[in-house]
Amino acid sequence: MQRILLILAVMAVAACGPGPRPSESSPLYGTVPSRSVAVMHFSHCSQGLALMMDSTSLFRTLDYGRMADNEAILSYGYSAGLVPLLCVDAGRAADDTSAQAAGLLRRAELSGLKTFYTARMLPKRAAVLLSLSQAAIDEAVQHIGAGTSILDAPGFAEAMQLASGGAGEIFLKNGAARRWLPASVLKSYIPRKDLVSFIADAAQWSVLNLRGYGRREIGVSFHDGGGARFLSHLFAGLEASDSKAADAVPASSEFVLDLPLADWRGYYDAYVECLDVRSSLSRHKAHLAALRKQYAKNPLDWAKARSPREIALVRWEGREVLMLRPEKRPKSVQDAQNPCPGFVPALFGSAFTIADDSCMGAYGDWLVYGSAEDVDALREAEKERFLQGIPRKLKYLFWTKELQIYSDGKNTFLDVN
């Protein structure tokens, strides 16, 4: 699970993915407990497990025989830690196990796994359940007997309408990110607490569509539950716009968060709607009022005067700056004290917070904010367009050396290195 969960970084910003495609629910979903925090459906069991699990896992070392290519669902519940439950299609429902299923059950039990055969408990199909935990097996059996499953979890049935992977789909419950988020992921770039918060705010469910079983064959969609409180809802109505960050950031960049803006006011109004639904609008207005009082400048008037077309946060070699590309190219000026620190994250989101934005300067098409040393270092840094293969028109870009996610307005793309 560690491998694929590198995608959790995508929730640091949110986007809309491919349009919905109605899909029929596999009978195997009836074995997945409703409180599961991650659900992974594969057309081929062995290939799906190879993508998701380490080669030393009992689930990987088990001989599935002829059932290796059967449909399967791997789900995770949480009980003091993540607990996997694997459901493998065993063919048409039967009271007696088939030879293949019986063989798999024996081999699994000998390996130390807990097992259960559903016989006629599922409609039209039988399945073999495997887990490291007897409690997980018991919970699944109780759900099957009661006729309840993950399909009854809020928003899951709607999230399934975004499934279009062919090879399979992965559903992640955003509100449970602190359960499934590995502590090591992106810790060099984003504090875990902030990352978990972003993921929870991004969507109700995240859907990864597997076009194949390679790491670069993953499409991403987000289900917002019909609620404006989620960032995915905020971005859904925005247009892709020209991005120029790739030509301006240092060649040694380690982290780039880029937000092109076709209409900065449209983005801000959508952001305010999101805050209002979360009951955070009063706090936001109070923050703007405090900045206005402290710096004798209305943040919205400040933004209107610049009409931002793009905002980027860049980190490289222990340095960081905020870059704002105004509608009109800024005049070349000497670096000076920033008269309005904190205005960018206050208006466009806390993701654009940096430790020190006390200084400002001009660099090409950009206004640059940071410490005096970092602003100067950006100007002197070697530049080259290193974001190869990423479109010039974007809704957003999240870039690290390990992971890149971006939206061109129609689709969301994910690359994991």
Side-chain angles (χ1 to χ4, degrees), residues 76-110:
Y76 285 83
Y78 188 88
S79 179
L82 288 171
V83 181
L85 172 70
L86 179 64
C87 173
V88 185
D89 180 30
R92 293 186 178 183
D95 291 327
D96 297 325
T97 57
S98 67
Q100 290 80 15
L104 175 58
L105 288 165
R106 286 195 300 270
R107 292 190 295 274
E109 290 167 358
L110 287 173

PDB file of all heavy atoms in Angstrom, residues 76-110:
ATOM      1  N   TYR A  76      -9.039  -1.965   3.184  1.00  0.00           N
ATOM      2  CA  TYR A  76      -8.340  -1.743   4.439  1.00  0.00           C
ATOM      3  C   TYR A  76      -9.291  -1.136   5.461  1.00  0.00           C
ATOM      4  O   TYR A  76      -9.913  -0.096   5.205  1.00  0.00           O
ATOM      5  CB  TYR A  76      -7.156  -0.793   4.248  1.00  0.00           C
ATOM      6  CG  TYR A  76      -5.966  -1.406   3.575  1.00  0.00           C
ATOM      7  CD1 TYR A  76      -5.903  -1.496   2.187  1.00  0.00           C
ATOM      8  CD2 TYR A  76      -4.895  -1.906   4.315  1.00  0.00           C
ATOM      9  CE1 TYR A  76      -4.807  -2.057   1.553  1.00  0.00           C
ATOM     10  CE2 TYR A  76      -3.791  -2.469   3.693  1.00  0.00           C
ATOM     11  CZ  TYR A  76      -3.757  -2.543   2.316  1.00  0.00           C
ATOM     12  OH  TYR A  76      -2.670  -3.101   1.697  1.00  0.00           O
ATOM     13  N   GLY A  77      -9.401  -1.787   6.608  1.00  0.00           N
ATOM     14  CA  GLY A  77     -10.051  -1.194   7.763  1.00  0.00           C
ATOM     15  C   GLY A  77      -8.981  -0.697   8.710  1.00  0.00           C
ATOM     16  O   GLY A  77      -7.778  -0.814   8.431  1.00  0.00           O
ATOM     17  N   TYR A  78      -9.397  -0.127   9.828  1.00  0.00           N
ATOM     18  CA  TYR A  78      -8.416   0.390  10.786  1.00  0.00           C
ATOM     19  C   TYR A  78      -8.785  -0.046  12.186  1.00  0.00           C
ATOM     20  O   TYR A  78      -9.906   0.161  12.647  1.00  0.00           O
ATOM     21  CB  TYR A  78      -8.338   1.922  10.727  1.00  0.00           C
ATOM     22  CG  TYR A  78      -7.206   2.485  11.543  1.00  0.00           C
ATOM     23  CD1 TYR A  78      -5.949   2.644  10.986  1.00  0.00           C
ATOM     24  CD2 TYR A  78      -7.388   2.832  12.880  1.00  0.00           C
ATOM     25  CE1 TYR A  78      -4.892   3.151  11.736  1.00  0.00           C
ATOM     26  CE2 TYR A  78      -6.342   3.331  13.639  1.00  0.00           C
ATOM     27  CZ  TYR A  78      -5.089   3.485  13.059  1.00  0.00           C
ATOM     28  OH  TYR A  78      -4.051   3.967  13.807  1.00  0.00           O
ATOM     29  N   SER A  79      -7.812  -0.678  12.849  1.00  0.00           N
ATOM     30  CA  SER A  79      -7.973  -1.071  14.238  1.00  0.00           C
ATOM     31  C   SER A  79      -6.585  -1.072  14.868  1.00  0.00           C
ATOM     32  O   SER A  79      -5.863  -2.075  14.800  1.00  0.00           O
ATOM     33  CB  SER A  79      -8.618  -2.453  14.352  1.00  0.00           C
ATOM     34  OG  SER A  79      -8.755  -2.846  15.701  1.00  0.00           O
ATOM     35  N   ALA A  80      -6.194   0.073  15.402  1.00  0.00           N
ATOM     36  CA  ALA A  80      -4.847   0.299  15.923  1.00  0.00           C
ATOM     37  C   ALA A  80      -3.796   0.254  14.819  1.00  0.00           C
ATOM     38  O   ALA A  80      -2.607   0.356  15.077  1.00  0.00           O
ATOM     39  CB  ALA A  80      -4.501  -0.715  17.012  1.00  0.00           C
ATOM     40  N   GLY A  81      -4.215   0.104  13.605  1.00  0.00           N
ATOM     41  CA  GLY A  81      -3.353   0.037  12.438  1.00  0.00           C
ATOM     42  C   GLY A  81      -4.179  -0.421  11.249  1.00  0.00           C
ATOM     43  O   GLY A  81      -5.309  -0.883  11.403  1.00  0.00           O
ATOM     44  N   LEU A  82      -3.625  -0.288  10.047  1.00  0.00           N
ATOM     45  CA  LEU A  82      -4.343  -0.715   8.850  1.00  0.00           C
ATOM     46  C   LEU A  82      -4.417  -2.231   8.799  1.00  0.00           C
ATOM     47  O   LEU A  82      -3.423  -2.928   9.003  1.00  0.00           O
ATOM     48  CB  LEU A  82      -3.649  -0.186   7.601  1.00  0.00           C
ATOM     49  CG  LEU A  82      -3.787   1.320   7.340  1.00  0.00           C
ATOM     50  CD1 LEU A  82      -2.877   1.735   6.190  1.00  0.00           C
ATOM     51  CD2 LEU A  82      -5.235   1.686   7.038  1.00  0.00           C
ATOM     52  N   VAL A  83      -5.614  -2.751   8.509  1.00  0.00           N
ATOM     53  CA  VAL A  83      -5.836  -4.202   8.444  1.00  0.00           C
ATOM     54  C   VAL A  83      -6.368  -4.555   7.059  1.00  0.00           C
ATOM     55  O   VAL A  83      -7.465  -4.133   6.681  1.00  0.00           O
ATOM     56  CB  VAL A  83      -6.855  -4.661   9.510  1.00  0.00           C
ATOM     57  CG1 VAL A  83      -7.040  -6.167   9.437  1.00  0.00           C
ATOM     58  CG2 VAL A  83      -6.394  -4.234  10.901  1.00  0.00           C
ATOM     59  N   PRO A  84      -5.608  -5.332   6.263  1.00  0.00           N
ATOM     60  CA  PRO A  84      -6.055  -5.663   4.912  1.00  0.00           C
ATOM     61  C   PRO A  84      -7.054  -6.817   4.904  1.00  0.00           C
ATOM     62  O   PRO A  84      -6.982  -7.748   5.714  1.00  0.00           O
ATOM     63  CB  PRO A  84      -4.760  -6.060   4.212  1.00  0.00           C
ATOM     64  CG  PRO A  84      -3.887  -6.591   5.309  1.00  0.00           C
ATOM     65  CD  PRO A  84      -4.242  -5.803   6.534  1.00  0.00           C
ATOM     66  N   LEU A  85      -7.981  -6.760   3.958  1.00  0.00           N
ATOM     67  CA  LEU A  85      -8.952  -7.828   3.706  1.00  0.00           C
ATOM     68  C   LEU A  85      -9.004  -8.031   2.205  1.00  0.00           C
ATOM     69  O   LEU A  85      -9.304  -7.104   1.458  1.00  0.00           O
ATOM     70  CB  LEU A  85     -10.332  -7.446   4.237  1.00  0.00           C
ATOM     71  CG  LEU A  85     -11.492  -8.389   3.885  1.00  0.00           C
ATOM     72  CD1 LEU A  85     -11.355  -9.706   4.643  1.00  0.00           C
ATOM     73  CD2 LEU A  85     -12.837  -7.727   4.186  1.00  0.00           C
ATOM     74  N   LEU A  86      -8.698  -9.236   1.753  1.00  0.00           N
ATOM     75  CA  LEU A  86      -8.705  -9.541   0.330  1.00  0.00           C
ATOM     76  C   LEU A  86      -9.887 -10.439  -0.006  1.00  0.00           C
ATOM     77  O   LEU A  86     -10.115 -11.456   0.653  1.00  0.00           O
ATOM     78  CB  LEU A  86      -7.398 -10.237  -0.079  1.00  0.00           C
ATOM     79  CG  LEU A  86      -7.273 -10.635  -1.555  1.00  0.00           C
ATOM     80  CD1 LEU A  86      -7.272  -9.396  -2.455  1.00  0.00           C
ATOM     81  CD2 LEU A  86      -6.012 -11.469  -1.786  1.00  0.00           C
ATOM     82  N   CYS A  87     -10.621 -10.062  -1.033  1.00  0.00           N
ATOM     83  CA  CYS A  87     -11.738 -10.849  -1.530  1.00  0.00           C
ATOM     84  C   CYS A  87     -11.427 -11.246  -2.969  1.00  0.00           C
ATOM     85  O   CYS A  87     -11.207 -10.384  -3.824  1.00  0.00           O
ATOM     86  CB  CYS A  87     -13.038 -10.038  -1.463  1.00  0.00           C
ATOM     87  SG  CYS A  87     -14.448 -10.836  -2.232  1.00  0.00           S
ATOM     88  N   VAL A  88     -11.413 -12.554  -3.251  1.00  0.00           N
ATOM     89  CA  VAL A  88     -11.093 -13.062  -4.586  1.00  0.00           C
ATOM     90  C   VAL A  88     -12.304 -13.777  -5.152  1.00  0.00           C
ATOM     91  O   VAL A  88     -12.899 -14.644  -4.486  1.00  0.00           O
ATOM     92  CB  VAL A  88      -9.888 -14.031  -4.548  1.00  0.00           C
ATOM     93  CG1 VAL A  88      -9.509 -14.456  -5.965  1.00  0.00           C
ATOM     94  CG2 VAL A  88      -8.696 -13.378  -3.858  1.00  0.00           C
ATOM     95  N   ASP A  89     -12.676 -13.432  -6.369  1.00  0.00           N
ATOM     96  CA  ASP A  89     -13.822 -14.060  -7.026  1.00  0.00           C
ATOM     97  C   ASP A  89     -13.569 -15.561  -7.176  1.00  0.00           C
ATOM     98  O   ASP A  89     -12.517 -15.984  -7.654  1.00  0.00           O
ATOM     99  CB  ASP A  89     -14.025 -13.415  -8.395  1.00  0.00           C
ATOM    100  CG  ASP A  89     -15.195 -14.008  -9.152  1.00  0.00           C
ATOM    101  OD1 ASP A  89     -16.154 -14.462  -8.494  1.00  0.00           O
ATOM    102  OD2 ASP A  89     -15.153 -14.034 -10.395  1.00  0.00           O
ATOM    103  N   ALA A  90     -14.551 -16.356  -6.757  1.00  0.00           N
ATOM    104  CA  ALA A  90     -14.419 -17.821  -6.824  1.00  0.00           C
ATOM    105  C   ALA A  90     -15.432 -18.440  -7.773  1.00  0.00           C
ATOM    106  O   ALA A  90     -15.744 -19.621  -7.678  1.00  0.00           O
ATOM    107  CB  ALA A  90     -14.577 -18.423  -5.425  1.00  0.00           C
ATOM    108  N   GLY A  91     -15.955 -17.646  -8.683  1.00  0.00           N
ATOM    109  CA  GLY A  91     -16.858 -18.196  -9.692  1.00  0.00           C
ATOM    110  C   GLY A  91     -18.311 -18.163  -9.252  1.00  0.00           C
ATOM    111  O   GLY A  91     -18.691 -17.468  -8.312  1.00  0.00           O
ATOM    112  N   ARG A  92     -19.131 -18.921  -9.939  1.00  0.00           N
ATOM    113  CA  ARG A  92     -20.558 -18.949  -9.627  1.00  0.00           C
ATOM    114  C   ARG A  92     -20.797 -19.498  -8.228  1.00  0.00           C
ATOM    115  O   ARG A  92     -20.077 -20.358  -7.745  1.00  0.00           O
ATOM    116  CB  ARG A  92     -21.302 -19.800 -10.653  1.00  0.00           C
ATOM    117  CG  ARG A  92     -21.302 -19.191 -12.053  1.00  0.00           C
ATOM    118  CD  ARG A  92     -22.175 -19.987 -12.992  1.00  0.00           C
ATOM    119  NE  ARG A  92     -22.215 -19.381 -14.319  1.00  0.00           N
ATOM    120  CZ  ARG A  92     -22.946 -19.843 -15.324  1.00  0.00           C
ATOM    121  NH1 ARG A  92     -23.683 -20.935 -15.154  1.00  0.00           N
ATOM    122  NH2 ARG A  92     -22.925 -19.241 -16.487  1.00  0.00           N
ATOM    123  N   ALA A  93     -21.828 -18.949  -7.599  1.00  0.00           N
ATOM    124  CA  ALA A  93     -22.128 -19.350  -6.224  1.00  0.00           C
ATOM    125  C   ALA A  93     -22.398 -20.832  -6.126  1.00  0.00           C
ATOM    126  O   ALA A  93     -23.075 -21.422  -6.959  1.00  0.00           O
ATOM    127  CB  ALA A  93     -23.340 -18.560  -5.718  1.00  0.00           C
ATOM    128  N   ALA A  94     -21.851 -21.444  -5.073  1.00  0.00           N
ATOM    129  CA  ALA A  94     -22.063 -22.872  -4.829  1.00  0.00           C
ATOM    130  C   ALA A  94     -21.938 -23.147  -3.338  1.00  0.00           C
ATOM    131  O   ALA A  94     -21.189 -22.474  -2.639  1.00  0.00           O
ATOM    132  CB  ALA A  94     -21.031 -23.697  -5.602  1.00  0.00           C
ATOM    133  N   ASP A  95     -22.717 -24.114  -2.865  1.00  0.00           N
ATOM    134  CA  ASP A  95     -22.627 -24.471  -1.452  1.00  0.00           C
ATOM    135  C   ASP A  95     -21.301 -25.145  -1.147  1.00  0.00           C
ATOM    136  O   ASP A  95     -20.737 -24.993  -0.065  1.00  0.00           O
ATOM    137  CB  ASP A  95     -23.791 -25.391  -1.071  1.00  0.00           C
ATOM    138  CG  ASP A  95     -25.123 -24.652  -1.092  1.00  0.00           C
ATOM    139  OD1 ASP A  95     -25.127 -23.443  -0.782  1.00  0.00           O
ATOM    140  OD2 ASP A  95     -26.138 -25.262  -1.439  1.00  0.00           O
ATOM    141  N   ASP A  96     -20.826 -25.933  -2.095  1.00  0.00           N
ATOM    142  CA  ASP A  96     -19.542 -26.619  -1.932  1.00  0.00           C
ATOM    143  C   ASP A  96     -18.467 -25.849  -2.672  1.00  0.00           C
ATOM    144  O   ASP A  96     -18.688 -25.343  -3.772  1.00  0.00           O
ATOM    145  CB  ASP A  96     -19.620 -28.039  -2.488  1.00  0.00           C
ATOM    146  CG  ASP A  96     -20.629 -28.889  -1.721  1.00  0.00           C
ATOM    147  OD1 ASP A  96     -20.746 -28.684  -0.497  1.00  0.00           O
ATOM    148  OD2 ASP A  96     -21.299 -29.716  -2.360  1.00  0.00           O
ATOM    149  N   THR A  97     -17.313 -25.751  -2.069  1.00  0.00           N
ATOM    150  CA  THR A  97     -16.220 -25.042  -2.721  1.00  0.00           C
ATOM    151  C   THR A  97     -15.755 -25.790  -3.958  1.00  0.00           C
ATOM    152  O   THR A  97     -15.758 -27.019  -4.007  1.00  0.00           O
ATOM    153  CB  THR A  97     -15.029 -24.878  -1.760  1.00  0.00           C
ATOM    154  OG1 THR A  97     -14.620 -26.168  -1.316  1.00  0.00           O
ATOM    155  CG2 THR A  97     -15.387 -23.997  -0.589  1.00  0.00           C
ATOM    156  N   SER A  98     -15.318 -25.011  -4.966  1.00  0.00           N
ATOM    157  CA  SER A  98     -14.712 -25.622  -6.140  1.00  0.00           C
ATOM    158  C   SER A  98     -13.326 -26.129  -5.769  1.00  0.00           C
ATOM    159  O   SER A  98     -12.775 -25.781  -4.724  1.00  0.00           O
ATOM    160  CB  SER A  98     -14.611 -24.589  -7.264  1.00  0.00           C
ATOM    161  OG  SER A  98     -13.679 -23.577  -6.913  1.00  0.00           O
ATOM    162  N   ALA A  99     -12.759 -26.931  -6.638  1.00  0.00           N
ATOM    163  CA  ALA A  99     -11.424 -27.465  -6.369  1.00  0.00           C
ATOM    164  C   ALA A  99     -10.407 -26.333  -6.249  1.00  0.00           C
ATOM    165  O   ALA A  99      -9.525 -26.356  -5.386  1.00  0.00           O
ATOM    166  CB  ALA A  99     -11.028 -28.427  -7.481  1.00  0.00           C
ATOM    167  N   GLN A 100     -10.541 -25.320  -7.140  1.00  0.00           N
ATOM    168  CA  GLN A 100      -9.591 -24.209  -7.106  1.00  0.00           C
ATOM    169  C   GLN A 100      -9.709 -23.411  -5.807  1.00  0.00           C
ATOM    170  O   GLN A 100      -8.713 -23.068  -5.164  1.00  0.00           O
ATOM    171  CB  GLN A 100      -9.811 -23.275  -8.298  1.00  0.00           C
ATOM    172  CG  GLN A 100      -9.416 -23.846  -9.650  1.00  0.00           C
ATOM    173  CD  GLN A 100     -10.489 -24.775 -10.201  1.00  0.00           C
ATOM    174  OE1 GLN A 100     -11.627 -24.778  -9.716  1.00  0.00           O
ATOM    175  NE2 GLN A 100     -10.113 -25.548 -11.208  1.00  0.00           N
ATOM    176  N   ALA A 101     -10.970 -23.114  -5.401  1.00  0.00           N
ATOM    177  CA  ALA A 101     -11.178 -22.347  -4.172  1.00  0.00           C
ATOM    178  C   ALA A 101     -10.729 -23.139  -2.952  1.00  0.00           C
ATOM    179  O   ALA A 101     -10.116 -22.591  -2.035  1.00  0.00           O
ATOM    180  CB  ALA A 101     -12.642 -21.953  -4.045  1.00  0.00           C
ATOM    181  N   ALA A 102     -11.039 -24.441  -2.937  1.00  0.00           N
ATOM    182  CA  ALA A 102     -10.654 -25.276  -1.804  1.00  0.00           C
ATOM    183  C   ALA A 102      -9.136 -25.333  -1.666  1.00  0.00           C
ATOM    184  O   ALA A 102      -8.591 -25.256  -0.560  1.00  0.00           O
ATOM    185  CB  ALA A 102     -11.221 -26.680  -1.971  1.00  0.00           C
ATOM    186  N   GLY A 103      -8.442 -25.409  -2.806  1.00  0.00           N
ATOM    187  CA  GLY A 103      -6.987 -25.423  -2.767  1.00  0.00           C
ATOM    188  C   GLY A 103      -6.418 -24.118  -2.248  1.00  0.00           C
ATOM    189  O   GLY A 103      -5.476 -24.107  -1.456  1.00  0.00           O
ATOM    190  N   LEU A 104      -6.997 -23.006  -2.677  1.00  0.00           N
ATOM    191  CA  LEU A 104      -6.537 -21.707  -2.215  1.00  0.00           C
ATOM    192  C   LEU A 104      -6.776 -21.558  -0.718  1.00  0.00           C
ATOM    193  O   LEU A 104      -5.904 -21.064   0.021  1.00  0.00           O
ATOM    194  CB  LEU A 104      -7.258 -20.593  -2.978  1.00  0.00           C
ATOM    195  CG  LEU A 104      -6.969 -19.162  -2.514  1.00  0.00           C
ATOM    196  CD1 LEU A 104      -5.475 -18.851  -2.598  1.00  0.00           C
ATOM    197  CD2 LEU A 104      -7.769 -18.154  -3.340  1.00  0.00           C
ATOM    198  N   LEU A 105      -7.917 -21.999  -0.228  1.00  0.00           N
ATOM    199  CA  LEU A 105      -8.219 -21.911   1.197  1.00  0.00           C
ATOM    200  C   LEU A 105      -7.199 -22.700   2.019  1.00  0.00           C
ATOM    201  O   LEU A 105      -6.716 -22.227   3.057  1.00  0.00           O
ATOM    202  CB  LEU A 105      -9.635 -22.417   1.467  1.00  0.00           C
ATOM    203  CG  LEU A 105     -10.770 -21.501   0.991  1.00  0.00           C
ATOM    204  CD1 LEU A 105     -12.097 -22.257   0.973  1.00  0.00           C
ATOM    205  CD2 LEU A 105     -10.873 -20.266   1.882  1.00  0.00           C
ATOM    206  N   ARG A 106      -6.862 -23.900   1.562  1.00  0.00           N
ATOM    207  CA  ARG A 106      -5.883 -24.730   2.285  1.00  0.00           C
ATOM    208  C   ARG A 106      -4.519 -24.061   2.325  1.00  0.00           C
ATOM    209  O   ARG A 106      -3.876 -23.989   3.377  1.00  0.00           O
ATOM    210  CB  ARG A 106      -5.768 -26.109   1.625  1.00  0.00           C
ATOM    211  CG  ARG A 106      -6.948 -27.043   1.880  1.00  0.00           C
ATOM    212  CD  ARG A 106      -6.594 -28.478   1.509  1.00  0.00           C
ATOM    213  NE  ARG A 106      -6.231 -28.592   0.097  1.00  0.00           N
ATOM    214  CZ  ARG A 106      -7.080 -28.834  -0.885  1.00  0.00           C
ATOM    215  NH1 ARG A 106      -8.378 -28.980  -0.602  1.00  0.00           N
ATOM    216  NH2 ARG A 106      -6.683 -28.935  -2.131  1.00  0.00           N
ATOM    217  N   ARG A 107      -4.069 -23.580   1.169  1.00  0.00           N
ATOM    218  CA  ARG A 107      -2.747 -22.954   1.104  1.00  0.00           C
ATOM    219  C   ARG A 107      -2.699 -21.682   1.949  1.00  0.00           C
ATOM    220  O   ARG A 107      -1.691 -21.399   2.607  1.00  0.00           O
ATOM    221  CB  ARG A 107      -2.380 -22.649  -0.357  1.00  0.00           C
ATOM    222  CG  ARG A 107      -2.154 -23.899  -1.200  1.00  0.00           C
ATOM    223  CD  ARG A 107      -1.568 -23.561  -2.560  1.00  0.00           C
ATOM    224  NE  ARG A 107      -2.474 -22.781  -3.393  1.00  0.00           N
ATOM    225  CZ  ARG A 107      -3.413 -23.290  -4.188  1.00  0.00           C
ATOM    226  NH1 ARG A 107      -3.566 -24.626  -4.258  1.00  0.00           N
ATOM    227  NH2 ARG A 107      -4.183 -22.520  -4.931  1.00  0.00           N
ATOM    228  N   ALA A 108      -3.783 -20.919   1.932  1.00  0.00           N
ATOM    229  CA  ALA A 108      -3.831 -19.686   2.723  1.00  0.00           C
ATOM    230  C   ALA A 108      -3.764 -19.996   4.213  1.00  0.00           C
ATOM    231  O   ALA A 108      -3.051 -19.325   4.968  1.00  0.00           O
ATOM    232  CB  ALA A 108      -5.108 -18.915   2.396  1.00  0.00           C
ATOM    233  N   GLU A 109      -4.513 -20.996   4.654  1.00  0.00           N
ATOM    234  CA  GLU A 109      -4.515 -21.362   6.075  1.00  0.00           C
ATOM    235  C   GLU A 109      -3.148 -21.864   6.513  1.00  0.00           C
ATOM    236  O   GLU A 109      -2.679 -21.557   7.613  1.00  0.00           O
ATOM    237  CB  GLU A 109      -5.597 -22.405   6.332  1.00  0.00           C
ATOM    238  CG  GLU A 109      -7.012 -21.835   6.215  1.00  0.00           C
ATOM    239  CD  GLU A 109      -8.085 -22.904   6.165  1.00  0.00           C
ATOM    240  OE1 GLU A 109      -7.731 -24.104   6.186  1.00  0.00           O
ATOM    241  OE2 GLU A 109      -9.273 -22.543   6.084  1.00  0.00           O
ATOM    242  N   LEU A 110      -2.489 -22.634   5.646  1.00  0.00           N
ATOM    243  CA  LEU A 110      -1.148 -23.121   5.971  1.00  0.00           C
ATOM    244  C   LEU A 110      -0.139 -21.973   6.072  1.00  0.00           C
ATOM    245  O   LEU A 110       0.823 -22.058   6.827  1.00  0.00           O
ATOM    246  CB  LEU A 110      -0.684 -24.133   4.915  1.00  0.00           C
ATOM    247  CG  LEU A 110      -1.366 -25.508   4.954  1.00  0.00           C
ATOM    248  CD1 LEU A 110      -0.933 -26.347   3.754  1.00  0.00           C
ATOM    249  CD2 LEU A 110      -1.013 -26.235   6.258  1.00  0.00           C
TER     250      LEU A 110
END
